[in-house]
Amino acid sequence: MSPDERRAIEWDCARLVALYANLNDAAHWADLAALYAEDGIMTRPSAPDIEIRGHTAILAAFRARPPRLTRHVCSNVVIDVEDADHARGTSAMVLYTGTTPPAVGWFHDRFIRTTAGWRFSERRGTMTFSP
């Protein structure tokens, strides 16, 4: 793999991390669930031991949330390319709700290239500081 191909994968996966935060804050649940591979796995930072698997379950989990205004800020994004179709990454997350102190945590991601482009095969959240 060339350095340019590696950088393109890193960019595509880092963009997925940012897009996830923006879609989450906009409550665009169907678009958010579509960022996962068909059999993708999600764990919320507030419930890291509960796996939610597949588009249908992930979409249902987001739709079950009570409405709220949020702003997710992701930083310290590091993507490690494993091969042409797989990568992993970490990112720091701060969640602002305006009603409680910010929550701080991490996402540990695994990415896979699909026919639709790069998607999360796993997105596991953990909390560092909770309000």
Side-chain angles (χ1 to χ4, degrees):
M1 166 180 323
S2 75
D4 286 343
E5 290 168 326
R6 182 173 299 280
R7 278 190 294 276
I9 292 169
E10 291 168 349
W11 172 258
D12 287 347
C13 292
R15 184 180 185 282
L16 206 59
V17 169
L19 184 57
Y20 184 97
N22 291 343
L23 291 171
N24 197 340
D25 292 335
H28 291 171
W29 307 135
D31 294 334
L32 186 60
L35 297 181
Y36 285 86
E38 191 63 40
D39 61 347
I41 297 170
M42 175 183 85
T43 68
R44 289 189 166 125
S46 59
D49 297 325
I50 300 173
E51 286 188 358
I52 304 166
R53 183 182 299 266
H55 282 170
T56 302
I58 290 168
L59 179 57
F62 279 111
R63 284 185 171 158
R65 284 181 160 174
R68 64 181 183 164
L69 183 61
T70 63
R71 174 60 62 205
H72 292 79
V73 179
C74 295
S75 67
N76 304 4
V77 178
V78 176
I79 306 298
D80 295 308
V81 177
E82 296 174 337
D83 60 39
D85 295 318
H86 301 89
R88 56 187 155 75
T90 57
S91 58
M93 178 275 305
V94 180
L95 170 62
Y96 297 93
T97 63
T99 58
T100 60
V104 179
W106 285 94
F107 281 106
H108 303 273
D109 299 317
R110 297 197 65 78
F111 304 94
I112 189 166
R113 186 190 313 257
T114 70
T115 57
W118 284 93
R119 296 293 184 259
F120 293 104
S121 59
E122 290 184 19
R123 181 146 239 243
R124 295 183 179 275
T126 59
M127 295 300 295
T128 307
F129 306 110
S130 298

